[in-house]
Amino acid sequence: MTNLKMKASTAVSIDILIVIDTEYVKKNCAISKDKNKPAGMDHNSQFMLCTGSRGIVSNQGKADLGFQAKVGDYVSFRGVSIYQNSDDAVIIYAISKFPNTTIDVFNQFNANSLTRSKAVQPDPRSASHDGLPALNVSQSFLSLDTRVASSGTENFMVTFALYTLGDDGQTQNLYGYYTWDPTITVS
């Protein structure tokens, strides 16, 4: 019984991966070149996945994800394009409270980077032509992290920059800034 009580009160890490269908965004959404005034968008091109939730996750794979957290839990958001950032690329740069929302479920989000000196990457020249054995390379990973501050429901904004591959086939150039408004409920 003591272990159950301790586990319930211990903070957990909840990870959210956002995959953006950039082709949909480019065809159906307005463009903003102002980082501080991103273009609002509908909820048809975002796919949010969650692990570490304290209970059932609703709308897994949709733009309005529902997950269960408790005050003190850690929440990390990461984003990528449907191309795994190899052609079009996505950088999530802000998660903020929706204007006129009175509840602060989340504390301030902060960008955090970590570098794995021996992260794995498929070997394109592998003898078996399947990428294995993998190569070990230095790679950085970015997330926007916070702790849950209080219970309740909060509308918030996820904001990202979209980059497209240039004519040289190497350079990714800014296409525009975008935002949408999912909701979080903390019990």
Side-chain angles (χ1 to χ4, degrees):
M1 187 86 151
T2 306
N3 288 341
L4 291 176
K5 287 183 180 179
M6 187 172 81
K7 182 175 181 167
S9 64
T10 302
V12 300
S13 293
I14 300 168
D15 291 282
I16 313 284
L17 175 65
I18 301 169
V19 179
I20 303 290
D21 178 352
T22 55
E23 293 303 324
Y24 180 91
V25 174
K26 292 185 293 185
K27 289 178 186 167
N28 297 292
C29 301
I31 301 171
S32 172
K33 298 287 187 175
D34 185 342
K35 176 183 170 187
N36 298 311
K37 294 180 183 173
M41 53 192 290
D42 60 31
H43 294 211
N44 296 317
S45 64
Q46 313 88 323
F47 305 91
M48 299 173 73
L49 303 169
C50 175
T51 188
S53 176
R54 287 190 178 265
I56 296 171
V57 177
S58 63
N59 295 320
Q60 187 83 278
K62 297 183 180 176
D64 290 300
L65 181 74
F67 63 92
Q68 295 179 15
K70 289 190 177 181
V71 173
D73 286 348
Y74 298 92
V75 180
S76 296
F77 282 79
R78 293 170 182 83
V80 67
S81 74
I82 196 74
Y83 300 108
Q84 194 181 358
N85 283 355
S86 63
D87 289 344
D88 291 347
V90 166
I91 297 174
I92 296 175
Y93 66 90
I95 298 177
S96 55
K97 185 169 71 166
F98 193 78
N100 301 320
T101 298
T102 57
I103 296 175
D104 290 319
V105 170
F106 292 128
N107 283 310
Q108 174 70 40
F109 277 86
N110 295 301
N112 289 301
S113 177
L114 62 89
T115 301
R116 302 267 187 231
S117 63
K118 295 183 180 180
V120 294
Q121 174 179 310
D123 182 354
R125 293 181 290 273
S126 67
S128 57
H129 304 286
D130 62 2
L132 299 176
L135 300 172
N136 290 109
V137 298
S138 180
Q139 188 168 346
S140 294
F141 301 90
L142 180 73
S143 62
L144 290 177
D145 305 327
T146 191
R147 288 189 82 172
V148 176
S150 67
S151 60
T153 299
E154 178 181 335
N155 293 347
F156 60 102
M157 306 298 292
V158 176
T159 309
F160 66 93
L162 169 59
Y163 295 82
T164 56
L165 190 60
D167 292 338
D168 65 0
Q170 298 297 318
T171 308
Q172 292 174 319
N173 302 299
L174 178 66
Y175 182 83
Y177 298 101
Y178 297 91
T179 193
W180 88 98
D181 57 344
T183 301
I184 178 67
T185 300
V186 175
S187 56

